[in-house]
């Protein structure tokens, strides 16, 4: 167990986690970097239920930070066999070539991606909280997946269903509504004669 | 990913409505992840969402439209299906571009590597024309190839027009191949004879073709699925090989290029001879150089109920005699070329996403109203160049 960080949720619960887990949050990382004698970081805006979900995500991602934003470039730490000497022009090129040839790396990333997709198959309320937390704590991968979760809720639904799910109001006037219901009114129709 | 920190302020009001989380930059992020097929719905939710949908549409590549021409002796019409709006639109054709009538050249589809370029050509014994735009609302006349052909394989490989096969076997021209620069200056086009098609394709009843910037790929639509490519630089064919389709029950295949990858669609099923019935349609990638099929990864698989719809023939007993497959930029349209009843659109999701998304598309009403007319199909991402 490496160096740990103590986090206090908004409702006063204490979470002790490894640095690698906590530092996926750029905010926590910068707060910890400041001269902080007792290593205890308060997070007033995140309550314990959400924070524990966030930490569950971070724990899973501890060895592969930013996997979503850098999908083409897999960190060499993922693969025990990779010795960092892959030939190739740019690092992202060689990394994606590496992932192509290294089945273990590729499988590990795909497994992580599958886990992430399951992680965000939760109700929209939780997605909203995760979005807020990811934004507040600045955790790139969690933000990416929370956005994916919200996008999933939209897929295949008609406007009324989307409004219900996201608790939105139809703020079009009746005239506007008539306009937008015409098929091409807002599209840059590529085949318009 | 720069996020506006508006979420923080909203959090203070004690959770006043979920919508406080989804607006501004976050909403744009979310909408950018939504399929093009859902954008219309997104645009109708609320004002803020409509703005997000419009700006998302401007930032992304549009899914390819399905182009449909109905040709008969008496008239021709053109129609376009845009997946974003989910609707067909009639596109008027000027009389001189309709190419109907007794002496009219035959309009057919060509394989093309040019995005936004023509998808149709017209050929008769004395005339060749290339559509000036994807739908063919205008045509460019070209010098016809030297050999008279019926039903050749035609492709635009880069800017070169390649015409292969369909020649007269009696004159020894069955597999002849000619090539010209369709966009060279001077209005004419000088046809260059090239290495003839490999033996396997000369008398092949049905060939599926696809074009990259440099090569024309051909595959026999039926077993043994002979495949080869023609290189327009070297003017030579590669040795023919039988594609090893991962599905041993496959009876029909077709190929196409999408996002720079050569794809193979195969219809498999059960039964023998006339009793064969299609049960599955799957897509794999094919390696461009070696024509190896990447059997480990099924790129797309059609849902069972849709395969049944594809093979539906109104009791005529045809089943699925061949597979219509048009693909471009991560989307593919499937159809039954002989008994055209429905189209099936497949959207490939990005890696790690939730698999492919399938939708059924009814053809425009005129197709059913004019059952004798010939349907010519193409698909194209960009429309008329502005």
């Amino acid at each position: 167990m490496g160096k740990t960080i103590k986090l206090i949720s908004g409702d006063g619960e204490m979470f002790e986690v490894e640095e690698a887990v906590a530092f996926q949050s750029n905010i926590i990382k910068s707060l910890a970097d400041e001269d902080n004698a007792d290593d205890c970081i308060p997070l007033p805006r995140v309550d314990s239920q959400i924070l524990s979900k966030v930490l569950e995500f971070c724990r899973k991602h501890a060895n592969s930070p930013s996997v979503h934003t850098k999908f083409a470039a897999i960190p060499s730490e993922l693969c025990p066999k990779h010795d960092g000497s892959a030939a190739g022009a740019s690092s992202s090129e060689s990394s994606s070539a590496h992932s192509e040839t290294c089945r273990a790396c590729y499988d590990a990333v795909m497994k992580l991606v599958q886990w992430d997709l399951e992680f965000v198959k939760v109700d929209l309320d939780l997605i909203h909280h995760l979005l807020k937390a990811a934004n507040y704590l600045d955790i790139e991968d969690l933000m990416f997946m929370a956005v994916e979760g919200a996008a999933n809720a939209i897929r295949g639904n008609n406007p009324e269903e989307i409004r219900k799910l996201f608790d939105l109001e139809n703020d079009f006037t009746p005239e506007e509504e008539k306009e937008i219901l015409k098929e091409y009114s807002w599209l840059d129709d590529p085949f318009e004669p | 990913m720069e996020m506006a920190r508006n979420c923080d302020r909203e959090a203070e009001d004690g959770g006043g409505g979920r919508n406080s989380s989804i607006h501004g930059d976050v909403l744009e992020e979310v909408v950018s992840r939504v399929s093009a097929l859902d954008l219309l719905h997104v645009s109708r939710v609320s004002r803020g969402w409509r703005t997000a949908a419009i700006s998302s549409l401007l930032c992304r590549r549009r899914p390819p439209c399905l182009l449909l021409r109905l040709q008969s002796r008496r008239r021709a019409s053109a129609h376009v299906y845009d997946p974003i709006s989910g609707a067909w639109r009639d596109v008027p054709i000027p009389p001189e571009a309709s190419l109907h009538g007794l002496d009219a050249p035959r309009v057919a589809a060509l394989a093309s590597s040019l995005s936004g370029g023509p998808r149709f050509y017209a050929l008769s014994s004395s005339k060749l024309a290339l559509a000036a735009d994807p739908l063919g609302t205008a045509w460019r006349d070209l010098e016809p190839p030297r050999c008279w052909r019926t039903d050749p394989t035609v492709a635009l490989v880069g800017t070169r027009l390649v015409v292969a096969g369909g020649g007269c076997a009696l004159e020894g021209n069955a597999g002849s191949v000619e090539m010209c620069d369709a966009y060279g200056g001077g209005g004419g086009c000088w046809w260059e004879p090239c290495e003839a098609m490999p033996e396997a394709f000369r008398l092949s009843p049905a060939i599926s073709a696809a074009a990259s910037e440099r090569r024309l790929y051909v595959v026999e639509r039926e077993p043994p699925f002979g495949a080869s490519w023609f290189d327009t630089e070297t003017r030579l064919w590669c040795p023919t090989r039988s594609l090893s389709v991962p599905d041993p029950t496959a009876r029909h295949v077709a190929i196409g290029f999408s996002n720079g990858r050569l794809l193979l669609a195969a219809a498999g099923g059960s039964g023998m001879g006339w009793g064969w019935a299609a049960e599955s349609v799957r897509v794999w990638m094919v390696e461009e150089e070696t024509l190896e099929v990447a059997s480990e990864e099924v790129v797309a698989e059609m849902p069972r109920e849709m395969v049944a719809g594809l093979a539906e023939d109104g009791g005529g007993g045809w089943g699925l005699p061949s597979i219509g497959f048009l693909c471009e930029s991560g989307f593919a349209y499937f159809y039954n070329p002989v008994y055209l009843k429905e189209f099936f659109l497949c959207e490939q999701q990005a890696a790690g996403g939730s698999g492919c998304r399938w939708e059924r598309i009814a053809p425009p009403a005129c197709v059913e109203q004019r059952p004798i007319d010939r349907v010519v199909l193409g698909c194209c991402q960009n429309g008329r160049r502005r």
Side-chain angles (χ1 to χ4, degrees):
Chain A
M1 182 103 144
K3 196 156 180 271
T4 61
I5 299 284
K6 296 196 186 78
L7 306 167
I8 314 265
S9 71
D11 47 352
E13 203 175 313
M14 207 262 287
F15 293 81
E16 183 163 3
V17 289
E18 290 177 28
E19 267 187 5
V21 174
F23 282 4
Q24 286 177 58
S25 156
N26 291 327
I27 295 297
I28 295 179
K29 187 157 192 262
S30 57
L31 284 174
D33 276 349
E34 291 163 16
D35 237 347
N36 204 341
D38 55 5
D39 268 6
C40 213
I41 298 177
L43 303 171
R45 293 203 212 278
V46 190
D47 73 21
S48 54
Q49 191 207 4
I50 303 302
L51 187 54
S52 95
K53 262 310 230 185
V54 170
L55 292 175
E56 185 190 341
F57 184 91
C58 293
R59 227 168 266 125
K60 193 78 184 174
H61 280 247
N63 290 327
S64 38
S66 304
V67 73
H68 292 290
T69 46
K70 294 183 196 160
F71 186 73
I74 296 168
S76 54
E77 299 88 78
L78 250 188
C79 174
K81 298 195 201 111
H82 181 68
D83 63 359
S85 61
S90 71
S91 71
S92 71
E93 239 176 36
S94 62
S95 293
S96 62
H98 167 76
S99 75
E100 231 112 33
T101 52
C102 179
R103 199 70 218 185
C105 268
Y106 181 77
D107 286 345
V109 171
M110 289 322 287
K111 247 172 141 186
L112 186 59
V113 168
Q114 288 310 312
W115 186 91
D116 283 349
L117 289 170
E118 282 303 315
F119 184 79
V120 292
K121 276 194 187 142
V122 290
D123 68 70
L124 219 42
D125 241 349
L126 184 50
I127 298 284
H128 279 77
H129 287 298
L130 289 175
L131 273 171
K132 278 193 213 161
N135 193 5
Y136 171 58
L137 295 170
D138 194 10
I139 306 173
E140 278 188 357
D141 273 355
L142 181 60
M143 178 55 101
F144 187 96
M145 285 318 300
V147 167
E148 187 71 24
N152 270 335
I154 296 174
R155 281 187 190 113
N157 282 322
N158 67 34
E160 194 46 53
E161 287 162 345
I162 297 174
R163 279 185 215 120
K164 237 187 281 185
L165 279 169
F166 286 82
D167 199 19
L168 294 166
E169 250 184 63
N170 178 358
D171 57 357
F172 290 115
T173 67
E175 296 78 37
E176 281 172 338
E177 187 119 40
K178 242 178 39 197
E179 259 308 299
I180 63 172
L181 284 178
K182 281 201 233 141
E183 287 146 355
Y184 298 96
S185 63
W186 60 285
L187 297 171
D188 178 24
D189 186 355
F191 289 94
E192 181 129 39
Chain B
M1 212 164 36
E2 280 277 342
M3 285 287 139
R5 299 222 161 224
N6 28 22
C7 301
D8 293 344
R9 274 170 259 119
E10 256 64 31
E12 300 290 46
D13 64 358
R18 294 199 209 122
N19 56 343
S20 53
S21 269
I22 312 269
H23 64 270
D25 285 358
V26 181
L27 178 59
E28 284 205 11
E29 255 318 292
V30 173
V31 170
S32 77
R33 249 21 118 61
V34 167
S35 153
L37 305 177
D38 286 317
L39 276 185
L40 190 66
H41 286 320
V42 168
S43 79
R44 290 172 178 173
V45 168
S46 73
R47 284 197 183 141
W49 283 54
R50 180 184 153 94
T51 310
I54 292 174
S55 71
S56 177
L57 183 64
L58 294 176
C59 293
R60 58 169 84 195
R61 287 182 85 185
R62 296 185 73 126
C65 293
L66 185 56
L67 315 173
L68 190 150
R69 273 186 81 107
L70 264 180
Q71 299 277 144
S72 76
R73 287 230 183 105
R74 286 209 216 106
R75 69 203 142 179
S77 61
H79 315 267
V80 169
Y81 177 81
D82 181 359
I84 302 250
S85 59
W88 286 94
R89 154 170 266 205
D90 298 339
V91 178
I93 311 180
E96 65 276 10
S98 66
L99 300 185
H100 65 270
L102 267 168
D103 299 324
R106 191 168 192 266
V107 175
L110 53 72
S112 172
S113 61
L114 283 182
S115 76
R119 295 294 185 258
F120 302 119
Y121 72 96
L123 183 66
S124 71
S125 54
S126 55
K127 194 170 142 78
L128 169 68
L130 200 57
D133 59 23
L135 264 174
T137 59
W139 294 84
R140 287 178 57 223
D141 280 330
L142 295 172
E143 201 59 43
R146 299 176 194 198
C147 288
W148 174 61
R149 300 157 191 278
T150 45
D151 240 347
T153 297
V154 177
L156 249 186
V157 183
T159 55
R160 291 165 158 147
L161 192 61
V162 180
V163 180
C168 177
L170 287 175
E171 293 177 5
N173 287 332
S176 104
V177 176
E178 294 176 68
M179 183 171 78
C180 80
D181 186 353
Y183 293 94
C189 92
W190 186 74
W191 288 97
E192 204 188 306
C194 306
E195 185 190 357
M197 282 180 109
E199 200 66 48
F201 301 99
R202 288 183 197 179
L203 299 172
S204 217
I207 291 175
S208 174
S212 69
E213 272 297 305
R214 180 169 159 148
R215 289 181 184 152
L216 165 66
Y217 291 80
V218 295
V219 174
E220 288 183 282
R221 287 181 181 270
E222 320 241 304
F225 305 129
S228 177
W229 48 253
F230 173 77
D231 188 313
T232 54
E233 293 287 323
T234 63
R235 288 124 166 99
L236 297 173
W237 292 89
C238 80
T240 310
R241 60 170 289 170
S242 282
L243 281 186
S244 47
V245 181
D247 180 356
T249 69
R251 191 63 93 74
H252 306 292
V253 300
I255 53 172
F257 265 98
S258 168
N259 283 342
R261 308 192 299 173
L262 182 59
L263 298 180
L264 170 79
S270 60
M272 302 279 291
W274 286 112
W276 183 84
E279 283 169 4
S280 73
V281 172
R282 274 181 248 154
V283 180
W284 289 272
M285 256 174 63
V286 181
E287 212 284 309
E288 281 178 47
E289 189 65 41
T290 60
L291 298 176
E292 285 273 342
V293 180
S295 50
E296 333 78 55
E297 194 201 332
V298 178
V299 167
E301 173 147 19
M302 190 183 277
R304 281 233 142 179
E305 2 23 290
M306 292 195 181
V307 180
L310 185 67
E312 155 71 37
D313 59 9
W318 301 110
L320 186 68
S322 84
I323 182 165
F325 177 56
L326 293 166
C327 62
E328 197 168 317
S329 17
F331 286 80
Y333 292 95
F334 295 82
Y335 58 96
N336 183 333
V338 175
Y339 192 80
L340 184 60
K341 193 161 175 284
E342 255 186 312
F343 297 97
F344 301 89
L345 172 62
C346 170
E347 176 187 25
Q348 270 172 260
Q349 306 285 14
S354 33
C356 296
R357 176 171 167 167
W358 291 84
E359 297 211 339
R360 306 177 95 113
I361 300 162
C366 53
V367 169
E368 207 182 335
Q369 289 157 4
R370 290 148 62 179
I372 310 292
D373 290 12
R374 212 161 52 83
V375 176
V376 192
L377 293 162
C379 98
C380 185
Q381 189 201 0
N382 297 323
R384 196 189 301 267
R385 289 180 214 231
R386 304 206 184 236

